[in-house]
Amino acid sequence: MQQQNKKDMKKLLIVMMLPMMAQGQTLEECQQAAEQNYPLIRQYNLIEQTTELTVANIQKGWLPQVSASAQATYQSDVVSWPDQMKTMMTGMGVDMKGLKKDQYRVGIDISQMLYDGGAISSQKAIAREQGKVQLAQTEVNLYQVRKRVNEMYFSLLLLNEQILLNRDLQELLEGNERKLSAMVKGGTAAESDWQSMKAERLNVIQKATELASQKQMLQRMLSTFCGIEMKEVQKPAVASVDGVNNRPELRLFDAQLRLADTQEKALNAAMMPKLGVFAQGYYGYPGYNMFEDMMSHDWSWNGMIGARLTWNIGALYTRKNDKTKIQMQRHLTETNRDVFLFNNDLEQIQQNENITRYKKLMTDDDEIITLRSAVRKAAESKLSHGIIDVNDLVREINAENAARVQQSMHEIEMLKEIYDNKYTTNH
């Protein structure tokens, strides 16, 4: 029973998807599918995980730092008793051995940071900002997928229009071919006229084969790129053109500038003193009690605890140059943003001019087709009355078809410019 319910649910899903499959994929659906299918999408999770691991490692700088060590040394000289004291003590029956030149110790050091002047906090902030820069760069790279989808999508739309017009042309030529066949049988046309018309139709069929092959190739490319089976594509609606720029490159530049600000703040943290506590202990010879170790060569336990304040003024030596480098990087980022906006504005100007040009051309396309259609119909009538030959009719038929193809090209090219403009501004 449960298995049957699963089968029924699967059938229901297929039925629900059939209208969408019949209509074909929209441009937005293809773009979303392509972005999800593109291998670069996996970088998002990898960058986020790497950033969190880096921040977690930096945070561990607040944990106690433990180090173990072992050493054995042999010295050329050691602390010893003065000869007079040694003679006196020997006379009293006390053996004054003195320190041995070979010395050993096995120990452990523990230190705990109490105040670091904001160094760890600055390092974590830098790691997070670097992660944001990497994410923004990935978004920029992934955004370029849309442009490649646009190229293939609108090329496929144009091929669809050409295939439809090719079918109409075949039907028109086939109709005239039947008329000429009847005229040949009636003795009002030569067989060569019928043969010429048929040859023209066969040429158009060959063109249809080429168009179908190109369409199949583009469908396979777009299917592979999007990761879904691409049957048909929908002609997008004429969208409004908005000049507001929302490109991901701008977010990348902002992230780079925030990183520069964070790095500059870290220079201040490097100048601050650091306060910590420590504990040291070791087992070995000699110990801290020097006099006892001079009388006895036994190993002993030794320990020390304390507080340490350090201030590394070496950061002063490179501070000026480091600030200059960060400032130069900031200027470079701002220059790159200005260059991007300048080129982006030029692209928008060109695209808007092309959109206006195609709209003007399209206003005359319908009238041109109407006139070409009327001329073609008149030529068909003239041919039936023997006023013109079949070549004149074929020329007019091709002229009408060329006008229809031109109209389709103008429409698709205008749509492509509109959606290229949407890509240029990310709207």
Side-chain angles (χ1 to χ4, degrees):
M1 183 67 180
Q2 186 177 2
Q3 187 69 21
Q4 182 63 35
N5 290 337
K6 290 182 178 179
K7 290 182 178 180
D8 293 340
M9 180 62 69
K10 186 175 181 180
K11 290 180 180 178
L12 179 61
L13 289 173
I14 293 175
V15 171
M16 293 173 63
M17 291 176 64
L18 282 176
M20 184 175 65
M21 294 172 62
Q23 293 176 357
Q25 284 83 8
T26 64
L27 178 59
E28 288 76 12
E29 290 171 346
C30 289
Q31 290 176 341
Q32 293 173 4
E35 289 180 355
Q36 294 299 319
N37 183 58
Y38 203 60
L40 193 64
I41 191 73
R42 294 194 290 269
Q43 280 195 7
Y44 280 111
N45 288 334
L46 294 176
I47 292 172
E48 291 175 352
Q49 293 174 11
T50 302
T51 301
E52 291 305 316
L53 289 173
T54 302
V55 171
N57 286 340
I58 295 173
Q59 179 65 27
K60 290 177 180 179
W62 287 109
L63 296 178
Q65 305 299 307
V66 181
S67 63
S69 62
Q71 72 176 36
T73 61
Y74 184 85
Q75 302 178 194
S76 61
D77 201 359
V78 292
V79 177
S80 61
W81 296 101
D83 292 338
Q84 293 179 352
M85 183 176 291
K86 186 174 182 180
T87 301
M88 183 180 65
M89 297 299 291
T90 302
M92 296 173 60
V94 179
D95 186 10
M96 304 297 293
K97 298 179 180 180
L99 291 178
K100 297 174 64 175
K101 293 185 177 181
D102 55 320
Q103 300 181 3
Y104 310 90
R105 66 168 58 189
V106 178
I108 186 170
D109 293 342
I110 302 175
S111 61
Q112 172 64 56
M113 182 74 69
L114 299 179
Y115 174 74
D116 69 342
I120 292 178
S121 177
S122 297
Q123 292 174 14
K124 291 195 297 182
I126 290 175
R128 289 195 176 96
E129 292 301 329
Q130 287 174 337
K132 291 177 182 178
V133 170
Q134 292 177 341
L135 287 173
Q137 183 63 63
T138 302
E139 184 184 3
V140 169
N141 296 335
L142 194 60
Y143 184 74
Q144 296 173 1
V145 170
R146 297 189 184 184
K147 188 171 185 179
R148 298 172 66 179
V149 171
N150 282 2
E151 295 293 334
M152 290 185 283
Y153 193 93
F154 285 100
S155 295
L156 197 54
L157 278 178
L158 186 57
L159 280 173
N160 285 342
E161 293 294 324
Q162 291 177 340
I163 289 173
L164 290 176
L165 292 174
N166 183 279
R167 291 173 184 171
D168 293 340
L169 181 58
Q170 288 184 47
E171 292 177 2
L172 183 59
L173 291 171
E174 187 176 5
N176 280 281
E177 187 180 337
R178 287 195 298 267
K179 290 179 184 178
L180 284 170
S181 178
M183 292 173 64
V184 169
K185 292 178 180 179
T188 57
E191 187 174 358
S192 60
D193 292 337
W194 172 78
Q195 292 173 339
S196 178
M197 185 64 69
K198 183 177 181 180
E200 186 65 27
R201 183 173 63 86
L202 293 176
N203 286 335
V204 175
I205 291 176
Q206 285 185 335
K207 180 66 175 177
T209 303
E210 294 178 1
L211 292 173
S213 177
Q214 294 176 17
K215 178 181 177 180
Q216 184 179 10
M217 177 190 67
L218 266 178
Q219 280 180 328
R220 292 179 61 184
M221 289 177 60
L222 195 55
S223 297
T224 302
F225 201 77
C226 297
I228 57 176
E229 186 177 1
M230 192 66 58
K231 293 296 185 181
E232 292 296 337
V233 292
Q234 294 184 32
K235 185 185 296 185
V238 178
S240 59
V241 178
D242 192 346
V244 180
N245 201 326
N246 191 34
R247 283 287 290 266
E249 286 85 348
L250 299 179
R251 291 189 285 277
L252 172 60
F253 296 137
D254 291 340
Q256 290 173 339
L257 290 174
R258 288 195 299 269
L259 174 60
D261 294 339
T262 305
Q263 290 172 331
E264 192 169 15
K265 292 178 181 178
L267 294 179
N268 297 329
M271 293 292 300
M272 301 298 292
K274 295 176 176 57
L275 175 65
V277 294
F278 67 92
Q280 298 175 346
Y282 74 91
Y283 179 69
Y285 172 84
Y288 291 146
N289 191 336
M290 188 71 66
F291 290 104
E292 183 177 342
D293 291 331
M294 293 174 72
M295 299 178 66
S296 171
H297 293 166
D298 296 333
W299 286 31
S300 62
W301 291 99
N302 302 271
M304 178 190 302
I305 61 172
R308 182 184 292 119
L309 178 67
T310 60
W311 190 7
N312 183 10
I313 62 173
L316 282 171
Y317 305 150
T318 60
R319 177 179 173 82
K320 182 178 180 181
N321 289 341
D322 289 339
K323 289 195 69 173
T324 303
K325 285 171 58 179
I326 294 174
Q327 191 64 26
M328 291 175 65
Q329 184 62 43
R330 185 181 288 111
H331 290 330
L332 180 61
T333 300
E334 292 172 347
T335 301
N336 289 337
R337 180 172 58 185
D338 293 339
V339 171
F340 171 78
L341 290 173
F342 181 82
N343 291 331
N344 191 271
D345 289 341
L346 290 180
E347 287 184 22
Q348 291 186 57
I349 292 173
Q350 183 178 4
Q351 290 162 354
N352 289 329
E353 288 297 324
N354 287 336
I355 292 170
T356 302
R357 175 168 59 89
Y358 284 123
K359 286 182 177 179
K360 290 179 180 179
L361 292 173
M362 289 174 63
T363 57
D364 297 328
D365 282 334
D366 288 333
E367 185 176 359
I368 292 173
I369 291 174
T370 300
L371 294 173
R372 287 294 183 187
S373 179
V375 172
R376 186 261 304 168
K377 292 177 181 178
E380 290 175 340
S381 177
K382 290 178 182 179
L383 179 66
S384 63
H385 291 84
I387 300 176
I388 62 173
D389 60 17
V390 70
N391 292 329
D392 294 329
L393 175 58
V394 169
R395 183 173 62 251
E396 297 303 336
I397 290 174
N398 287 333
E400 180 188 1
N401 180 70
R404 295 184 184 277
V405 171
Q406 193 74 10
Q407 182 189 44
S408 297
M409 290 181 63
H410 289 163
E411 181 184 9
I412 300 300
E413 289 293 338
M414 184 193 69
L415 288 173
K416 184 177 182 300
E417 289 292 338
I418 290 175
Y419 281 87
D420 281 348
N421 185 268
K422 287 172 66 69
Y423 169 83
T424 303
T425 58
N426 192 20
H427 278 283

